[in-house]
Amino acid sequence: MPATENPNVASTWHMDLVSGLSIAGLLLPEAVAYSGIANLPPQAGVVALFVGLAVYGLLGRSRYAVVSATSSSAAVLAAGTLALAGGDNLARAAIGATLVLLSGVCFLVAGAARLGGLSHLIARPVLRGYTFGLACVIALKQLPHLFGVAGLHGDFVPKLLYELATVSPQMKLASVGTGMMALLLLFAGERLRRVPGSLAVIVLGVAVSGWLAGQGVELTGRIDLAQALGWPTWPDNGQWLPSVELAAALLLILYAESYSSIRGFALKHGDRVQPNRDLIVLGIANVVSGALHGMPVGAGYSATSANEAAGARSRWSGLVAAGTVLLLVLFALRWIERIPQPVLAAIVIHAVSKSLRLTTFAPYLRWHRDRLVALAAVLAVLSLGILNGLLFAIAFSLVMLLRQLATPRLCVLGRLANTHDFVDIAQHPDAVPPAGMLIVRPEEPLFFANAEAVLVQARHRVEAQQGLRRVVLSLEESPDLDGTVLESLGDFAAWLDARGIELRVARLKDEARDALMRMALPQLPPQALDDWSVEDAVLAPTPTSFSDKGNS
């Protein structure tokens, strides 16, 4: 069970009680709304919310993380179920539960394998670009609910815009008015931090739901938790591979979002992060949610920040919220069923609007870094769909990384006057290389894709200089050396040896040095690998064999 970290136990309990009650009122309508994004019945979101809050509250470690259904995972789940089950809602619900359960299993396997750094496969510019594009798609797909017309199918934006233009003449003024009023109240409520805007909108919507229903405004409808019992349907033989692939995609997006939230608030408050434990806990939460036909769950940033803003001090806040959700379901479920659909659509649009701020990309424009990656992620989601867009964006970022690593710059070092510092001559024209020596440093780690290209550049530098006695290769950027690099270094050392030029390798990491020692090149004896600095390599005496070659 969680323990309070604040010495003032009474104050901690009070703050956790208040924050738990506050976020329960915020999260319950959002959970119902997110189930609509996933094209699942409302109880799927309610089950996921209770399971996420309870499991993480009991087993998690972050004081502020709130684990519940998220808009991004709901959209990925919708794309996955559409691909596997088509438009059959019953089949999609069954497949959806299976995907959630399988994603939980993937979490458990990753946690057991201690793959806590898994989220780093998604670069932050990719995640921000994906989130922006996803928010556009989600908001667009909520407009029919806001207008009171038939829903849109798929997630291909040009097709969605065409369908929206087709059905927009059928919009109901009462639905449009309800949705717009809800949006205005939600944005106005942002200025009143102590008033939960979504809860106020829900209460007002339920209060006038009878009159709105008479005007043709659709309500949430029956929430039958009994339907959430029972085991999911296992995939057919031909669906196992795509099901596991979709579950892995859910794992990536859920953990990237969760780890970002957990780590961000841990750094802010000086708490420890245990990524492998979080993988296990999120796995248990998703397995339980999937078994009960719930939605995928993760630690969303908006819910976690709302928990912190409400004054949470420990994980008791999440457990209080779970208990509150349970009481609301037991005693107020019939009122929840009367929430107008335009109000739920407004809550979703308001929730994702925080991801539609262009200022998110301002740092990348200012730094001149990763602008193309972020833009590609946005365009991929808008043009290829949610799931394919995510996979394309991840692949694109990895290709850009490989492109950068495969075309490294080789800089020539020289000594600054009256110092022991060796710096890039191109950046410091006053730096002078030692007489008879060439000092080169790859600016990227050497690996199989760039080793030969780097050493070709080094050969050109050697051929362009006369009277060289020694070449110093500084490898501080390379923590280890693969087989291709070792063979290429062997060829380079032999090429230099044939010209009477000594090779010394400076600033080697332990793994790289051990690999070169095992290689046992005659041109690279142990003393040629022991230079812990460039200056050591420059000042080292020249072996007799090379002196003889130079004299001859």
Side-chain angles (χ1 to χ4, degrees):
M1 293 290 288
T4 55
E5 287 84 356
N6 195 315
N8 190 339
V9 177
S11 174
T12 298
W13 268 96
H14 176 262
M15 296 302 293
D16 286 337
L17 180 63
V18 171
S19 62
L21 293 172
S22 300
I23 62 172
L26 167 73
L27 294 174
L28 186 57
E30 281 193 356
V32 175
Y34 290 162
S35 63
I37 296 176
N39 284 312
L40 294 176
Q43 59 265 25
V46 176
V47 168
L49 174 60
F50 176 75
V51 169
L53 290 171
V55 170
Y56 197 86
L58 291 170
L59 303 177
R61 281 294 177 265
S62 172
R63 290 189 290 159
Y64 302 97
V66 171
V67 174
S68 61
T70 67
S71 58
S72 56
S73 62
V76 172
L77 185 65
T81 56
L82 180 64
L84 292 176
D88 187 342
N89 289 334
L90 290 177
R92 292 184 70 173
I95 289 293
T98 302
L99 292 178
V100 176
L101 195 153
L102 287 176
S103 70
V105 172
C106 290
F107 268 108
L108 294 175
V109 171
R114 305 188 68 79
L115 299 178
L118 194 66
S119 65
H120 300 311
L121 286 175
I122 305 182
R124 291 192 180 188
V126 170
L127 189 59
R128 290 190 170 92
Y130 169 78
T131 303
F132 184 90
L134 180 65
C136 292
V137 175
I138 290 174
L140 188 60
K141 294 194 70 172
Q142 290 303 304
L143 291 181
H145 300 294
L146 200 74
F147 296 160
V149 296
L152 306 180
H153 303 287
D155 52 15
F156 181 54
V157 169
K159 181 173 180 289
L160 293 178
L161 290 172
Y162 173 77
E163 289 185 11
L164 186 63
T166 302
V167 300
S168 58
Q170 307 166 15
M171 69 176 61
K172 301 173 184 176
L173 292 180
S175 293
V176 175
T178 302
M180 297 306 295
M181 182 60 67
L183 276 175
L184 289 174
L185 290 174
L186 287 168
F187 282 108
E190 290 181 354
R191 300 178 179 274
L192 305 173
R193 291 187 174 272
R194 296 190 176 276
V195 178
S198 60
L199 184 58
V201 168
I202 290 292
V203 170
L204 289 174
V206 171
V208 296
S209 60
W211 180 80
L212 290 175
Q215 303 300 311
V217 177
E218 290 189 20
L219 306 183
T220 297
R222 183 171 175 76
I223 301 176
D224 188 0
L225 292 177
Q227 291 185 5
L229 301 177
W231 286 96
T233 303
W234 296 112
D236 296 331
N237 290 335
Q239 290 186 328
W240 271 103
L241 181 59
S243 295
V244 172
E245 291 173 347
L246 290 167
L250 275 173
L251 162 69
L252 281 175
I253 192 63
L254 277 171
Y255 190 59
E257 187 175 20
S258 300
Y259 184 70
S260 176
S261 302
I262 292 171
R263 183 175 181 274
F265 285 93
L267 290 174
K268 182 177 179 181
H269 295 279
D271 296 337
R272 289 181 59 196
V273 180
Q274 300 181 38
N276 292 309
R277 183 184 178 92
D278 286 326
L279 278 171
I280 295 291
V281 176
L282 289 172
I284 294 172
N286 279 284
V287 166
V288 175
S289 181
L292 297 176
H293 291 256
M295 292 172 58
V297 293
Y301 186 84
S302 60
T304 301
S305 60
N307 190 35
E308 184 214 31
R313 293 292 180 269
S314 76
R315 286 178 289 118
W316 280 109
S317 173
L319 290 176
V320 169
T324 305
V325 168
L326 182 60
L327 291 176
L328 287 172
V329 169
L330 291 176
F331 300 107
L333 189 61
R334 296 299 167 252
W335 294 106
I336 297 173
E337 294 173 348
R338 298 188 63 80
I339 301 174
Q341 284 284 1
V343 170
L344 290 177
I347 290 173
V348 173
I349 293 173
H350 176 259
V352 302
S353 66
K354 299 178 180 62
S355 301
L356 289 173
R357 296 168 182 168
L358 292 174
T359 52
T360 301
F361 305 109
Y364 305 120
L365 297 175
R366 187 169 62 251
W367 301 334
H368 292 188
R369 293 291 185 276
D370 295 322
R371 295 167 293 181
L372 189 58
V373 172
L375 177 62
V378 175
L379 295 178
V381 175
L382 296 181
S383 58
L384 300 177
I386 293 168
L387 188 57
N388 292 331
L390 171 63
L391 298 177
F392 176 86
I394 295 173
F396 183 80
S397 67
L398 294 176
V399 168
M400 294 296 289
L401 172 63
L402 289 174
R403 176 177 175 270
Q404 177 184 347
L405 293 175
T407 54
R409 187 172 68 91
L410 185 75
C411 66
V412 177
L413 304 185
R415 189 199 298 270
L416 289 173
N418 302 318
T419 72
H420 299 287
D421 298 329
F422 286 84
V423 295
D424 184 0
I425 291 176
Q427 302 293 327
H428 302 271
D430 53 333
V432 179
M437 295 189 186
L438 173 67
I439 308 169
V440 292
R441 181 183 67 200
E443 293 298 279
E444 302 288 350
L446 289 183
F447 72 117
F448 64 88
N450 65 13
E452 191 59 40
V454 168
L455 295 177
V456 165
Q457 293 182 53
R459 286 186 176 92
H460 292 332
R461 296 282 187 180
V462 171
E463 291 170 343
Q465 295 192 31
Q466 300 295 325
L468 280 181
R469 303 188 314 274
R470 175 179 297 172
V471 171
V472 177
L473 180 61
S474 181
L475 290 182
E476 64 261 38
E477 300 295 337
S478 302
D480 202 353
L481 305 175
D482 60 38
T484 302
V485 176
L486 293 174
E487 290 187 25
S488 299
L489 284 174
D491 294 340
F492 183 59
W495 183 82
L496 290 176
D497 184 69
R499 287 159 177 75
I501 301 173
E502 179 193 6
L503 174 64
R504 296 190 75 96
V505 185
R507 304 198 68 181
L508 276 170
K509 301 291 192 296
D510 290 340
E511 291 81 359
R513 185 182 184 279
D514 291 344
L516 284 170
M517 289 289 289
R518 287 191 294 270
M519 196 177 182
L521 287 172
Q523 300 88 359
L524 278 176
Q527 62 267 27
L529 306 175
D530 287 338
D531 299 319
W532 300 112
S533 69
V534 171
E535 186 176 26
D536 291 341
V538 170
L539 297 178
T542 303
T544 305
S545 58
F546 283 99
S547 298
D548 295 341
K549 289 181 181 180
N551 294 331
S552 62

